[in-house]
Amino acid sequence: MAEILEHILHEYLPILIHLIEIIGIFIIVTGAFKAFKAYLYAFFKDGNTSALRHDLGTAMVTGLEFKMAAEILRTVIVRTKEEIIMLGAIIVLREILFFFINKDMKEHKAQHKNKTEEKDKKITGIKIERE
């Protein structure tokens, strides 16, 4: 029974891993094209690119999460110490990318929120107090 499970893992898991990686790549690529389309629209129409960075960042983070899932699944079939070290390095690098993209998105969202509040104050003339 154990031999059958091992055969199934080594036969079909690499296919599943590649499919999940392709999904991650697809998300990143489509997000980049969508962001580029939005950039072109903003460049020629209104110049407002604030939502663009958030949408691109979201696509990148989501794509990286799929790529990370594939790497975690890959840990099941690694056989040598070198493969484990390489896999660990890839996971660490992707986690660092995920952290910085997420941090940038949060900062951008906070800046956008502050600008929106300032515009609201100017329009209404009402001062908003924070707790």
Side-chain angles (χ1 to χ4, degrees), residues 38-125:
Y39 172 78
L40 288 176
Y41 179 80
F43 182 78
F44 290 110
K45 295 290 180 186
D46 60 3
N48 184 8
T49 60
S50 61
L52 164 75
R53 286 181 60 198
H54 184 268
D55 291 344
L56 180 59
T58 300
M60 289 172 52
V61 166
T62 305
L64 281 172
E65 286 175 348
F66 274 91
K67 299 283 285 168
M68 187 74 77
E71 296 300 335
I72 290 169
L73 285 175
R74 188 171 279 125
T75 62
V76 174
I77 57 173
V78 293
R79 295 184 181 162
T80 65
K81 188 168 84 171
E82 288 80 20
E83 288 177 331
I84 292 172
I85 292 169
M86 181 64 73
L87 192 58
I90 290 169
I91 289 173
V92 167
L93 287 173
R94 288 195 177 149
E95 194 60 37
I96 290 169
L97 279 171
F98 177 80
F99 173 79
F100 282 112
I101 291 169
N102 235 357
K103 182 180 175 194
D104 185 53
M105 286 175 52
K106 286 178 183 175
E107 288 174 359
H108 183 262
K109 187 176 181 179
Q111 289 173 352
H112 181 67
K113 184 179 178 182
N114 289 340
K115 287 180 184 178
T116 304
E117 287 176 355
E118 288 175 11
K119 284 182 184 178
D120 289 345
K121 286 179 191 177
K122 289 179 183 177
I123 291 171
T124 62

